Amino acid sequence: YWVGTMRGAIRVVDGEFQFFGHDRWIPHDKVNSIACGKSAAYIATDGGLGVINYEPYTLFKKAAWYEKWMEQWGQKRLGFIHNLVWDKDSQGYVRFMSDNDGGWVSHYLDALCFKYAVTKDPAVREAAVDVFRSLKWCEEITPIDGFPARSIYAVGETGVQASTGSGGLPSEWNRTKDGKFEWKGDTSSDEVDAHIFATTLFIELVAQGKEKEAAQEHLSRIVGHIVREGWVLRDKDGKPTRWARWDPEYLQRPYGFLARGLNGMEAFNYVVSAHALTGDPKFVDAKQQLLDWKYHHQSLRQKLVFPHVTHFDDRLAFYTYYPLLRYETDPYLRSIF
């Protein structure tokens, strides 16, 4: 049976409660009436009629549906994928250049890498290579070696640029020397996590020849920057960004104390993955520095349960655990992670 409420609709099946809220499922919170068909529910709300259809989907079919959607709505651009927002002036939808285009498109690259590993479809491989080029471009477009941009905007294109930055700070869009593009700075640890995770998958599952060399270079440049700059991402102003810090000064003070478990584990992942896939010995020395700081002990309590609990950090932890447990070989450290 169905229940309509002031805050969404609920479907009860064999004692299981399934919630359908605004705006993921229905056009408004307030539900006025519900009618049921054989395989669909029609939910009348203050914002219009929501129709929920039940149709069996394989993962492959679901992926194809989303691909078709993104193509038809024009959500793909320069290798990135965008939300669409309503533009009052043009009375149409335009792309939103977000605070994290590089990070978000890495999800797509992750999926393409796994999909190619399963299907060996040349078209999927081609798509993965194309997305990786955009991910690598995020680092190449900035004048700072190893510093990846959050997002890229082509000057004069139709679209909305993110107007805010990290932690309430102002947005940092920087014009390239040729004046053709702007790149968003103040990059955070979550972008780095996304780049490392996606690049390791790309190297293992997709890359061939010069593609693999390019991916190894990308990995080495980003992690090399972090190690070289004292375990921070150092922005154009020479200062660390708001959230991309793995240095003891940050993690042992109130400003970053709560992040010491997760960020310390992230740092281990960066150097372990970079060494495993590039062979550069400098990452072995960097790992020893982390061991001397005893970051591995903190990782046992990387999941915060007080005063805040956030699923967002679970995503960053997954980005970290997956490659770290593939490439770390020391039995003692593996037992901790």
Side-chain angles (χ1 to χ4, degrees), residues 157-172:
E157 70 173 306
T158 301
V160 177
Q161 292 174 269
S163 59
T164 58
S166 301
L169 297 174
S171 180
E172 293 186 19

Side-chain angles (χ1 to χ4, degrees), residues 2-302:
W2 282 85
V3 180
T5 78
M6 299 290 285
R7 293 292 302 276
I10 301 167
R11 180 178 186 246
V12 185
V13 182
D14 297 329
E16 178 182 285
F17 293 83
Q18 303 166 352
F19 178 71
F20 299 83
H22 170 261
D23 60 349
R24 186 173 296 274
W25 290 100
I26 55 178
H28 193 278
D29 270 338
K30 186 171 181 290
V31 176
N32 301 307
S33 184
I34 301 175
C36 298
K38 184 176 181 181
S39 60
Y42 305 88
I43 301 175
T45 76
D46 275 9
L49 186 66
V51 182
I52 298 174
N53 293 296
Y54 289 86
E55 180 181 345
Y57 263 73
T58 62
L59 186 59
F60 192 77
K61 180 179 176 182
K62 184 177 182 180
W65 188 91
Y66 278 111
E67 286 280 4
K68 181 180 178 182
W69 178 285
M70 290 188 296
E71 292 287 354
Q72 289 181 343
W73 282 78
Q75 291 180 266
K76 292 184 178 182
R77 161 197 162 272
L78 302 177
F80 301 105
I81 294 176
H82 298 271
N83 283 343
L84 302 178
V85 295
W86 184 256
D87 179 50
K88 291 182 179 179
D89 294 335
S90 65
Q91 287 295 295
Y93 283 101
V94 297
R95 300 183 187 96
F96 175 61
M97 288 68 178
S98 79
D99 205 39
N100 195 15
D101 288 350
W104 297 138
V105 82
S106 76
H107 290 294
Y108 186 42
L109 179 55
D110 302 337
L112 290 172
C113 289
F114 285 126
K115 186 177 181 181
Y116 178 69
V118 172
T119 66
K120 299 301 180 185
D121 182 345
V124 175
R125 201 189 92 80
E126 184 179 346
V129 172
D130 183 56
V131 174
F132 172 73
R133 288 194 185 110
S134 296
L135 203 64
K136 193 171 189 300
W137 186 28
C138 288
E139 187 273 334
E140 293 171 335
I141 200 171
T142 77
I144 311 165
D145 288 346
F147 186 98
R150 285 178 172 273
S151 305
I152 297 173
Y153 167 75
V155 175
E157 70 173 306
T158 301
V160 177
Q161 292 174 269
S163 59
T164 58
S166 301
L169 297 174
S171 180
E172 293 186 19
W173 288 98
N174 305 280
R175 186 73 61 96
T176 56
K177 284 186 177 181
D178 60 13
K180 294 180 179 180
F181 296 95
E182 292 182 0
W183 57 273
K184 199 170 192 301
D186 194 29
T187 306
S188 296
S189 60
D190 48 311
E191 280 86 32
V192 178
D193 290 342
H195 275 260
I196 302 304
F197 179 59
T199 303
T200 61
L201 292 181
F202 183 73
I203 291 172
E204 279 206 0
L205 303 176
V206 177
Q208 300 173 6
K210 291 190 179 298
E211 298 160 0
K212 183 167 290 189
E213 294 175 11
Q216 290 168 328
E217 179 197 26
H218 185 61
L219 195 63
S220 182
R221 287 174 69 86
I222 292 179
V223 181
H225 171 104
I226 293 169
V227 174
R228 182 177 66 251
E229 296 296 335
W231 296 97
V232 302
L233 272 187
R234 204 169 293 280
D235 216 327
K236 277 184 67 177
D237 59 4
K239 299 178 182 179
T241 65
R242 171 64 178 87
W243 297 113
R245 296 190 62 172
W246 304 270
D247 55 306
E249 182 183 3
Y250 173 72
L251 297 180
Q252 293 176 6
R253 293 190 178 187
Y255 201 48
F257 188 68
L258 292 176
R260 65 194 186 282
L262 179 57
N263 284 37
M265 192 169 70
E266 289 172 345
F268 267 105
N269 174 43
Y270 302 159
V271 295
V272 167
S273 297
H275 179 255
L277 295 172
T278 71
D280 192 327
K282 71 184 176 189
F283 297 122
V284 176
D285 297 335
K287 179 182 177 182
Q288 185 57 53
Q289 192 171 39
L290 300 177
L291 290 169
D292 293 342
W293 289 336
K294 295 181 171 51
Y295 275 15
H296 50 305
H297 293 170
Q298 300 291 347
S299 69
L300 285 168
R301 299 187 65 182
Q302 65 82 16

